[in-house]
Amino acid sequence: AETIYVDAIHSAREFARQAIANALQNTLVETYHRLTENQDYAPEAEQIGRRALRNCVLGYLMQVKTVGPELAWQQFTYASNMTDKAAALSALVNCQAADSFAAKALQTFETDYADETLAMNLWLQIQATSKLNNGLERVKALMDHPAFSINNPNKARSLLGAFCSANPVNFHHQDGSGYSFLQQQIIALNALNPQVA
């Protein structure tokens, strides 16, 4: 069987993203600002495309510590729609250099949307998929958060499912802790809801 080196793939991808961001920083900043919407939100193809491209550019700019975190914080603060707010939150949560912004953004989001189930599921998912170190510890801590309940299938998918399926660098940790964690959660879920397990 072929061995897949998850850490090496992740490192190579991050190296490439860093090189692209460094080489194209000015163009990326100009593109980001050019794509910033000055019109009311509308779920139209052109606006959807602009938002998607702008958020992709923001992802690259997060590699530039002196530029990306501040732009993401501004986008998070002034976003007129959940797409841009969630993209900015995800960018902040995935950037080591944006720790202080990320903590503020997570708290603000939780305060603003504490009573909105779908938004809080997204809040859990964004944290579960953070590629930063200690991902498993973060997920375990969130299991004790009032926004999470293993008895709720959507919340289980948002936190546990997202971590195991969309956070390869943390789930496939070399020590096997991600696999052990998944095993424990499947056993627990099987007693509650075999279909979700």
Side-chain angles (χ1 to χ4, degrees):
E2 183 182 356
T3 300
I4 298 172
Y5 298 97
V6 177
D7 288 341
I9 293 168
H10 177 71
S11 295
R13 181 177 184 272
E14 289 302 299
F15 176 83
R17 289 175 58 80
Q18 184 73 60
I20 291 168
N22 289 340
L24 301 175
Q25 178 180 339
N26 293 336
T27 302
L28 290 168
V29 169
E30 185 276 324
T31 301
Y32 179 85
H33 289 301
R34 182 170 42 83
L35 294 169
T36 300
E37 294 288 349
N38 294 320
Q39 53 188 317
D40 291 339
Y41 171 84
E44 299 170 347
E46 184 177 337
Q47 277 195 23
I48 291 168
R50 290 172 69 88
R51 282 191 293 274
L53 181 55
R54 180 175 182 243
N55 290 323
C56 177
V57 169
L58 178 62
Y60 280 97
L61 287 172
M62 295 307 290
Q63 303 291 328
V64 183
K65 296 174 185 176
T66 57
V67 176
E70 182 66 39
L71 282 178
W73 173 249
Q74 289 175 11
Q75 179 173 314
F76 175 83
T77 303
Y78 299 109
S80 63
N81 60 81
M82 188 57 78
T83 300
D84 284 344
K85 188 171 283 288
L89 181 60
S90 181
L92 292 168
V93 168
N94 277 284
C95 180
Q96 193 73 54
D99 263 359
S100 61
F101 286 130
K104 286 192 296 187
L106 285 166
Q107 182 59 57
T108 300
F109 193 99
E110 180 183 3
T111 300
D112 291 348
Y113 300 104
D115 296 329
E116 297 191 32
T117 302
L118 293 178
M120 289 308 293
N121 288 351
L122 180 60
W123 182 81
L124 291 168
Q125 180 182 338
I126 287 170
Q127 293 179 81
T129 56
S130 172
K131 308 304 185 281
L132 298 183
N133 291 334
N134 301 320
L136 180 57
E137 289 75 15
R138 184 173 39 255
V139 168
K140 286 179 177 179
L142 285 167
M143 289 181 72
D144 292 328
H145 192 280
F148 178 78
S149 170
I150 199 167
N151 296 315
N152 182 312
N154 290 331
K155 294 192 178 298
R157 287 186 196 98
S158 295
L159 184 63
L160 309 177
F163 174 74
C164 296
S165 66
N167 193 341
V169 73
N170 280 298
F171 175 64
H172 297 290
H173 195 277
Q174 292 179 354
D175 66 4
S177 56
Y179 301 147
S180 295
F181 173 75
L182 176 58
Q183 177 188 22
Q184 293 163 8
Q185 300 318 309
I186 288 173
I187 291 168
L189 282 165
N190 190 55
L192 300 168
N193 189 334
Q195 186 174 5
V196 174

